[in-house]
């Protein structure tokens, strides 16, 4: 089995739920399995530290997770049209992998959750792609052959899966958003399988 890393940061739970749906899509491809990981919060207090293992959910990511996996799905909530600081902080620490070219040629996909329809989901997806392009990764999006991309009235873009969580992050993932998350995971895993064949 080859692993695809599903790396996410989630504060309200929506991005975590999306990560699990993307993992379901990955796991549906023969020979592929999802490896779920998260990043710790960033604190303004220089003395603050997170425990080595989170109290619940996916383990914290290590650089070796990126190196060992054959593909990456990267997810973050939107913060003013960009990824959340904990995800950016982690990515800023991947220079050693960049120097080795460890991610060159691996496929990657991105996903996000925003508070409103025009809350920056597409700009967040695009800005999350930038460090992946610098690493030499191959970006995989969602083609319009996915029926849910044309029918969605909530989240979902050709740049990646997205969810509109509402101002209180209390809207459940819609059926179209669910389908697009699973489709993105499946497309990422199918692409990775072709590249390593």
């Amino acid at each position: 089995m080859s692993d695809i890393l599903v790396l996410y940061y989630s504060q309200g739970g929506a991005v975590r739920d999306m990560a699990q749906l993307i993992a379901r899509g990955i796991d549906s491809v023969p020979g592929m399995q999802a490896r779920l990981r998260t990043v710790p919060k960033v604190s303004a207090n220089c003395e603050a530290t997170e425990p080595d293992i989170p109290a619940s959910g996916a383990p914290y990511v290590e650089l070796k997770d990126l190196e060992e996996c054959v593909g990456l799905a990267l997810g973050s909530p939107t913060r003013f049209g960009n990824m959340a600081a904990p995800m950016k902080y982690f990515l800023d620490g991947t220079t050693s992998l960049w120097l080795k070219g460890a991610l060159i040629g691996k496929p990657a996909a991105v996903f996000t959750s925003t508070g409103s329809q025009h809350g920056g989901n597409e700009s967040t997806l695009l800005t999350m792609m930038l460090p992946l392009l610098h690493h030499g990764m191959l970006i995989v999006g969602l083609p319009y052959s996915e029926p849910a991309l044309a029918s969605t009235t909530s989240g979902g873009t050709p740049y990646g899966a997205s969810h509109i969580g509402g101002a209180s992050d209390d809207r459940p993932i819609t059926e179209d958003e669910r389908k697009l998350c699973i489709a993105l995971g499946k497309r990422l895993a199918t692409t990775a399988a072709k590249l390593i064949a």
Side-chain angles (χ1 to χ4, degrees):
M1 295 291 279
S2 296
D3 283 11
I4 292 184
L5 178 61
V6 182
L7 176 59
Y8 68 92
Y9 175 70
S10 187
Q11 198 164 9
V15 176
R16 180 200 61 228
D17 294 345
M18 294 176 75
Q20 291 168 346
L21 290 165
I22 288 168
R24 188 185 310 173
I26 291 166
D27 291 342
S28 73
V29 176
M32 294 290 158
Q33 64 183 7
R35 182 188 299 190
L36 285 159
R37 296 290 186 268
T38 191
V39 296
K41 290 182 178 181
V42 174
S43 173
N45 179 349
C46 294
E47 301 299 319
T49 59
E50 292 287 328
D52 290 338
I53 301 170
S56 63
Y60 291 131
V61 68
E62 298 177 22
L63 290 179
K64 70 176 186 172
D65 290 312
L66 279 168
E67 203 162 6
E68 292 171 354
C69 290
V70 298
L72 168 67
L74 187 69
S76 171
T78 293
R79 296 292 182 263
F80 299 105
N82 207 332
M83 73 182 93
M87 186 59 73
K88 178 74 165 66
Y89 183 81
F90 171 75
L91 290 173
D92 284 349
T94 60
T95 303
S96 62
L97 297 180
W98 178 81
L99 288 168
K100 292 193 287 187
L103 304 181
I104 292 173
K106 293 182 181 184
V110 291
F111 59 102
T112 191
S113 177
T114 58
S116 65
Q117 186 72 35
H118 304 290
N121 58 359
E122 290 182 345
S123 64
T124 300
L125 294 172
L126 289 168
T127 56
M128 286 181 9
M129 291 177 191
L130 297 179
L132 307 182
L133 290 166
H134 276 263
H135 272 291
M137 300 192 86
L138 309 172
I139 304 300
V140 174
L142 283 165
Y144 277 96
S145 57
E146 289 296 333
L149 198 56
S151 64
T152 185
T153 58
S154 52
T157 79
Y159 311 116
S162 64
H163 166 63
I164 310 300
S168 300
D169 197 22
D170 56 357
R171 289 187 191 165
I173 294 175
T174 68
E175 183 61 19
D176 283 334
E177 291 170 340
R178 186 186 72 76
K179 288 177 183 175
L180 291 170
C181 286
I182 293 170
L184 184 63
K186 186 174 183 178
R187 186 158 195 254
L188 177 61
T190 301
T191 302
K194 289 177 181 176
L195 288 170
I196 63 173

